[in-house]
Amino acid sequence: MLQSRSADASLIAHAGRSYFPIALIARLPFAMMVVGVLTLVVASRDSVALGGINSAFVGIGSAVFGPMVGAAADRFGQRTVLVPVGLTNAVLLGVFPFVVQGSAPDLAVLAMAFCIGASAPQVAPMSRSRLVAIIRQRMAPDRHEKVLSGTMAYESAADEVVFIIGPFLVGLLATAIAPWVAVAGASVLTFVFVTAFALHPTGKLALAHHTDVPQAPASQLLRLRLVVVVVGILGIGFFFGSTLTSLTAFMETHGQASQAGLLYGLMGIGSAGLALGSAAFPRAFGVGWRWLVFGVVLLGGTIAFASADSVVAVAVVLAVMGIGIGPTLVAQYSLGSDRSPVGRSATTMTILGSAVIVGQSLASAVVGDVAERSGTATAMLFPAVSAGIVVLAAVVNLVLSRRRA
């Protein structure tokens, strides 16, 4: 059980020292799924388009069932929901390599990919929900704003780290051993760490928070100020998927397709660092403006990416693009947390988390098909389109905020 702590104690003291490493590793399989499925299917069935479609089915499964998992956690508690969901997902990931490498038809592979997405444990949004509950219940009111800002910065940095490290690990394992090892590894991580996360005492605290406060109507999830955040974070998902898939096609033309994940990891250098540093930004540099400014940085990097013609140039541009991603995600998740309807924090955070993987998956499918039909150069234009969506949503968000003010 959670020990009683002073209201002046740190968030780490309230949550427990084991919580943060467990929550960080537990979200890693979620980031490995889309890329792992893409890499395994491309390697086993020799089709970038088929790999992209399968990764899209992972995202569709997550989009359909992810918010339901979050809503169930809001109602019944995270432990009750996460344990069976995590075990189911671990089994499906463990079986998937046998299905892909066997004689099963493509339709069966697609069905498995959909089920993997549908059963994906929503660790990141549930972690945010738990920490917000701790801050609001256990900490002094005058500390809420500052600690919440730092927490959202950490959580976004953690997401950024795993969404970069996940593909990096997939690329590393695929290159060093075999593509199926990454999916099998995700199965093991899910079985061990998602279960540990589900059983952590903080899960009960989050449930207590929701049972004490009446839930707002589900219709409030459709408020325009929240929808624009979902659209913006969907654009980040489009960016992840289009960048990784076009990068894979680019590296394939250079005879190094399995190393795309390694190169992709370069984005994490500036991204995670600036995400963590977001808590130090001055108050005058508002969250909405951070989203717009760093979104423009991301857009500039994607335009340069589209014209890069060498591995070295692509590596440099990826590092620059990383500077724009982290602070943008921090701003979006902070706005999402602030605009979450009462009693529906897990649902809201799950919708935001699902939007990332849905965007990533759909973009992987579309860009994979474009790469095969129209070539790598055309595929490398899509990250700029994705960044454009992020910037446009940021502008709309500022307009809505001014009208509300």
Side-chain angles (χ1 to χ4, degrees):
M1 295 179 62
L2 284 173
Q3 296 182 359
S4 179
R5 301 279 185 181
S6 165
D8 294 326
S10 68
L11 182 60
I12 294 176
H14 281 292
R17 294 187 180 278
S18 66
Y19 175 80
F20 288 95
I22 289 173
L24 180 65
I25 300 174
R27 71 184 79 193
L28 188 57
F30 191 76
M32 297 172 66
M33 286 177 191
V34 173
V35 184
V37 167
L38 173 67
T39 304
L40 179 58
V41 173
V42 170
S44 301
R45 306 240 166 171
D46 195 28
S47 172
V48 175
L50 181 61
I53 293 172
N54 272 274
S55 64
F57 267 65
V58 174
I60 293 169
S62 178
V64 173
F65 288 93
M68 295 182 188
V69 172
D74 275 331
R75 185 173 182 83
F76 303 110
Q78 293 189 11
R79 180 176 296 182
T80 303
V81 174
L82 270 179
V83 171
V85 167
L87 293 177
T88 300
N89 189 250
V91 171
L92 290 171
L93 285 168
V95 172
F96 189 70
F98 295 99
V99 175
V100 176
Q101 295 180 333
S103 58
D106 292 344
L107 190 60
V109 177
L110 289 173
M112 281 285 293
F114 178 85
C115 291
I116 287 172
S119 61
Q122 305 291 330
V123 173
M126 291 191 189
S127 176
R128 285 180 171 84
S129 179
R130 292 187 191 191
L131 295 178
V132 168
I134 291 173
I135 292 168
R136 290 176 177 168
Q137 291 182 62
R138 299 294 182 92
M139 305 186 79
D142 60 342
R143 300 179 63 202
H144 285 185
E145 183 178 351
K146 182 178 180 180
V147 178
L148 186 62
S149 175
T151 300
M152 289 300 105
Y154 164 76
E155 285 289 306
S156 297
D159 276 346
E160 192 56 34
V161 167
V162 298
F163 270 104
I164 298 297
I165 289 180
F168 177 83
L169 279 177
V170 171
L172 182 63
L173 293 172
T175 303
I177 308 176
W180 65 267
V181 176
V183 177
S187 172
V188 174
L189 289 174
T190 300
F191 181 79
V192 176
F193 287 96
V194 172
T195 303
F197 176 81
L199 298 177
H200 195 275
T202 52
K204 289 187 175 181
L205 181 62
L207 175 62
H209 168 66
H210 293 300
T211 54
D212 291 343
V213 181
Q215 282 190 333
S219 59
Q220 290 196 17
L221 293 167
L222 299 176
R223 290 180 302 178
L224 188 56
R225 294 177 69 245
L226 182 57
V227 170
V228 73
V229 178
V230 176
V231 172
I233 208 164
L234 181 66
I236 293 291
F238 287 149
F239 166 79
F240 282 142
S242 59
T243 301
L244 180 58
T245 306
S246 60
L247 178 61
T248 301
F250 176 83
M251 294 299 288
E252 189 175 39
T253 62
H254 288 74
Q256 305 173 56
S258 62
Q259 296 184 24
L262 300 177
L263 202 60
Y264 185 76
L266 290 173
M267 283 198 299
I269 299 172
S271 180
L274 278 173
L276 285 170
S278 293
F281 287 145
R283 229 179 200 184
F285 189 20
V287 177
W289 284 104
R290 295 176 202 172
W291 177 359
L292 178 60
V293 169
F294 286 100
V296 170
V297 172
L298 181 63
L299 179 59
T302 55
I303 292 172
F305 177 77
S307 59
D309 58 359
S310 69
V311 175
V312 174
V314 165
V316 172
V317 171
L318 287 170
V320 172
M321 288 194 294
I323 295 173
I325 300 171
T328 301
L329 272 176
V330 171
Q332 291 169 335
Y333 274 116
S334 296
L335 289 169
S337 173
D338 183 58
R339 297 171 184 179
S340 171
V342 176
R344 295 190 179 274
S345 61
T347 307
T348 302
M349 292 302 176
T350 302
I351 290 172
L352 295 177
S354 295
V356 175
I357 199 166
V358 168
Q360 183 184 32
S361 303
L362 292 177
S364 295
V366 172
V367 177
D369 185 62
V370 169
E372 284 201 351
R373 293 175 180 271
S374 305
T376 301
T378 304
M380 292 176 72
L381 295 172
F382 279 79
V385 176
S386 305
I389 293 172
V390 174
V391 171
L392 181 60
V395 172
V396 174
N397 174 69
L398 286 174
V399 171
L400 292 174
S401 298
R402 282 178 177 271
R403 286 181 179 177
R404 183 177 178 84

